[in-house]
Structures are given as structure tokens and as C-alpha cells.
């Protein structure tokens, strides 16, 4: 946590997805937008990258990023700027699509993670075969981790999980279980789920200085930029819009106003510091409270869906 921060950008190029997971960690059910990043935003993003050193890791995500009509053009342009690229997929496309991606990016494809959403997979045996073909054909330098969201496990899913783990071990592919978080809050887990998650208390990040916004960014399909996922609904953590010519990164670390950091990236990429700044934390919280009525009106659909999900989880 105290090492040199690693620089990264997550660019959500589309809100569209081939799945409709009830627990979507990207809060797709809470957003009105089902749009793709338009050409103006993509051009602004590429021009922004040209100003950066190529030691930044660029993650292209969604939704399911491949659904963006300019997906292959976007990853080609980023590769030509000599950046390392990270991708994530739910493996719902045919293997030829993934082979095309491998051929375009080759050794610039730093990571390609697979997220197995067991509720949404229609033909599990076919998906498992595709998974095995995927790890056989990906570039040798490309790291892959299998991500398995844990949400209301039943016996059938436990058998499927065993098969995923078996193939992961066969090809020396890492695997990890994810506790679902919706609108920055973890869903409740049963004792059965705890054995998979090896549950640990979330990291308390409140008032700690964080480099997010200075050495890491989350960019949405409409060009809006936030310092991190956990603070994306807070006005004080909006950095602006990538389409604005005056858009700039933070010059210094800023304190976290969240009680817990619910995204693993700030910790894994050494963004969070030990030092605290209570004064500026309070200032940010005041700004957020002033804008709260505006956000309640603007995001009434978010609040409605949040209530529906709460009742669904506690039935």
C-alpha cells in the first residue's frame, strides 16, 4: 500500500452488455444510459493518451466492451501509442472474436480477465470448451484471472465452479471469487458463500490521502471522469469531462470521503496512503451534501432500483 503508485485508466466505452445480471457491479441497472462512447469522446480520449507517458495501464471495459462498434479500432489506436491494454470479458462471443483481439494486440495485451456469470450462461459445457480454447490461444505474455461473482450459490453452480477451477489449475490460470457490491455497498453473504469468499472486512479508507485522480481515472462513455469507482456518485470526486479542452488531472493526492474502499484497484495499485486529511475530507462532504437534493432528483431511477434490489436481497 505504500509502494510507488501504478498508473491506470479504466475507460467504460459502452454501457451495453450481452448479459443482464441482477447484481451488476458496474450498476448497469441503476443507470439510464445504454449508450456507447461517441466519436468525439473516443478522439478526446486518444488525444489525452498522447499527452501521457506510456507507463499507464489502459483498461477498456463496459458493459461488454466488444459490443462497441468501434472496439477494434479503439484497441488498435491505443496499441499504436505503445500502451499496455487490459480487457475483461464474460466470454459470450465466439472464439474467433477473441483470436482477432489476440492477433491485433499480441504482446500489448497485458491482461484479459474472464468473468463467469453463472446465472447468465445458457450453455455451460460450450462455455467451458471456449474457456479452454481461450487460454490455449491467448498470447503467452498475457495474464488471465478467472473472476467468479458469488451471488446466491446453489448445488448446480457449485458443480460448475469446480469445473472452472479444474481447468484454471490445469493451465495455471489464477481464479478469484468476488463479493458483489451494488452502489458501493457489499451485498449480504450467507455462511455457504463465506467459504468461497474467505471474507475479510473492507478496507477503511475514510480521510486517507489517495492518488486516485492523479495517477488513476475512471472515464465514462459520456466523457465524464471520476477519480475512482467507489466515489463515482459524489460531486466532489468528479474531475470533469474528457471532452473539455481544459481537462486536467489532480496535481496532489486528495482524501477519500468513503467509509470503505469497495474497489480493489486503489489498494492493488498502491493509490492509498497512510496519511489522513480530515479538514479537506469534511470540506468534500459538505460539497456532497449541498448537491444531494440535486442528485436525488437526477437519480431517482437509481434510488428506485436500489430499493427494489434491497427487497429482493432480503426476501
Amino acid at each position: 500500500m505504500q509502494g510507488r503508485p501504478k498508473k491506470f485508466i479504466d475507460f467504460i466505452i459502452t454501457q451495453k452488455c450481452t448479459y443482464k445480471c441482477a447484481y451488476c457491479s458496474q450498476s448497469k441497472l441503476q443507470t439510464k444510459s445504454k449508450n456507447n462512447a461517441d466519436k468525439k469522446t473516443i478522439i478526446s480520449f486518444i488525444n489525452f493518451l498522447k499527452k501521457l507517458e506510456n507507463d499507464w495501464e489502459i483498461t477498456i471495459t463496459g458493459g461488454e466492451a466488444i459490443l462497441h462498434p468501434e472496439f477494434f479500432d479503439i484497441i488498435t489506436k491505443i496499441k499504436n501509442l505503445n500502451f499496455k491494454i487490459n480487457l475483461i470479458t464474460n466470454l459470450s462471443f465466439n472464439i474467433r472474436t477473441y483470436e482477432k483481439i489476440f492477433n491485433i494486440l499480441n504482446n500489448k495485451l497485458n491482461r484479459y480477465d474472464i468473468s463467469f456469470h453463472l446465472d447468465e450462461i445458457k450453455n455451460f459445457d460450450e462455455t467451458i470448451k471456449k474457456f479452454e480454447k481461450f487460454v490455449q490461444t491467448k498470447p503467452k505474455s498475457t495474464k488471465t484471472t478467472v473472476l467468479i461473482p458469488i451471488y446466491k450459490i446453489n448445488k448446480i453452480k457449485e458443480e460448475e465452479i469446480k469445473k472452472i477451477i479444474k481447468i484454471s489449475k490445469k493451465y495455471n490460470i489464477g481464479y478469484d471469487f468476488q463479493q458483489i457490491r451494488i452502489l458501493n455497498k457489499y451485498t449480504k453473504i450467507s455462511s455457504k458463500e463465506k467459504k468461497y469468499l474467505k471474507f475479510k472486512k473492507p478496507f477503511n479508507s475514510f480521510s486517507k490521502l489517495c492518488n486516485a485522480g492523479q495517477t488513476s481515472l475512471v472515464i465514462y462513455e459520456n466523457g465524464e471522469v471520476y477519480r475512482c469507482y467507489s466515489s463515482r456518485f459524489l460531486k466532489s470526486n468528479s474531475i470533469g469531462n474528457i471532452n473539455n479542452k481544459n481537462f486536467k488531472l489532480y496535481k496532489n493526492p486528495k482524501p477519500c470521503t468513503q467509509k470503505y474502499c469497495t474497489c480493489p484497484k486503489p489498494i492493488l495499485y498502491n493509490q492509498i496512503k497512510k496519511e489522513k486529511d480530515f479538514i479537506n475530507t469534511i470540506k468534500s462532504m459538505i460539497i456532497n451534501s449541498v448537491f444531494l437534493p440535486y442528485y436525488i432528483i437526477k437519480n431517482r431511477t437509481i434510488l428506485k432500483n436500489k430499493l427494489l434490489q434491497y427487497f429482493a436481497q432480503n426476501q
Side-chain angles (χ1 to χ4, degrees), residues 72-88:
F72 292 103
D73 184 52
I74 292 169
I75 62 172
T76 300
K77 286 178 177 177
I78 298 170
K79 175 202 170 183
N80 291 341
L81 292 174
N82 207 28
F83 286 94
K84 289 183 178 180
I85 299 173
N86 299 333
L87 300 170
I88 185 168

Side-chain angles (χ1 to χ4, degrees), residues 11 13 36-43 68 221-223 243:
F11 184 19
I13 62 172
N36 297 317
D38 61 19
K39 287 187 177 181
K40 180 181 178 181
T41 300
I42 293 167
I43 291 170
H68 194 289
E221 81 289 343
N222 59 4
N243 292 311

Side-chain angles (χ1 to χ4, degrees), residues 44 46-53 83 244-245 247:
S44 297
I46 296 300
N47 287 337
F48 175 66
L49 291 186
K50 290 177 181 178
K51 300 175 184 178
L52 301 178
E53 297 179 359
F83 286 94
N244 188 329
K245 292 181 180 179
F247 171 78

Side-chain angles (χ1 to χ4, degrees), residues 193-206:
E193 291 166 339
K194 281 184 180 179
K195 76 175 184 180
Y196 285 95
L197 292 165
K198 298 178 181 177
F199 182 72
K200 295 180 181 179
K201 188 176 180 180
F203 177 76
N204 189 333
S205 55
F206 182 74

Side-chain angles (χ1 to χ4, degrees), residues 151-152 182 187-188 303-315:
Y151 190 74
K152 297 180 180 178
I182 298 173
T187 56
K188 293 181 179 180
L303 297 174
K304 177 184 175 183
N305 282 312
K306 187 176 181 181
L307 286 171
L308 289 173
Q309 286 178 334
Y310 173 81
F311 289 121
Q313 291 164 23
N314 291 276
Q315 285 180 344

Side-chain angles (χ1 to χ4, degrees), residues 289-312:
S289 65
V290 168
F291 279 88
L292 185 60
Y294 165 78
Y295 278 106
I296 289 175
I297 295 169
K298 182 181 178 183
N299 298 316
R300 55 189 179 275
T301 303
I302 290 178
L303 297 174
K304 177 184 175 183
N305 282 312
K306 187 176 181 181
L307 286 171
L308 289 173
Q309 286 178 334
Y310 173 81
F311 289 121

Side-chain angles (χ1 to χ4, degrees), residues 214-230:
Q214 183 184 9
T215 56
S216 67
L217 300 171
V218 177
I219 304 175
Y220 281 81
E221 81 289 343
N222 59 4
E224 289 294 320
V225 185
Y226 286 83
R227 61 186 301 213
C228 67
Y229 284 110
S230 295

Side-chain angles (χ1 to χ4, degrees), residues 115-130:
S115 192
F116 275 97
H117 298 276
L118 299 178
D119 285 337
E120 295 290 320
I121 295 173
K122 294 179 180 178
N123 189 325
F124 181 76
D125 290 336
E126 183 181 295
T127 302
I128 278 292
K129 289 178 183 177
K130 194 191 302 181

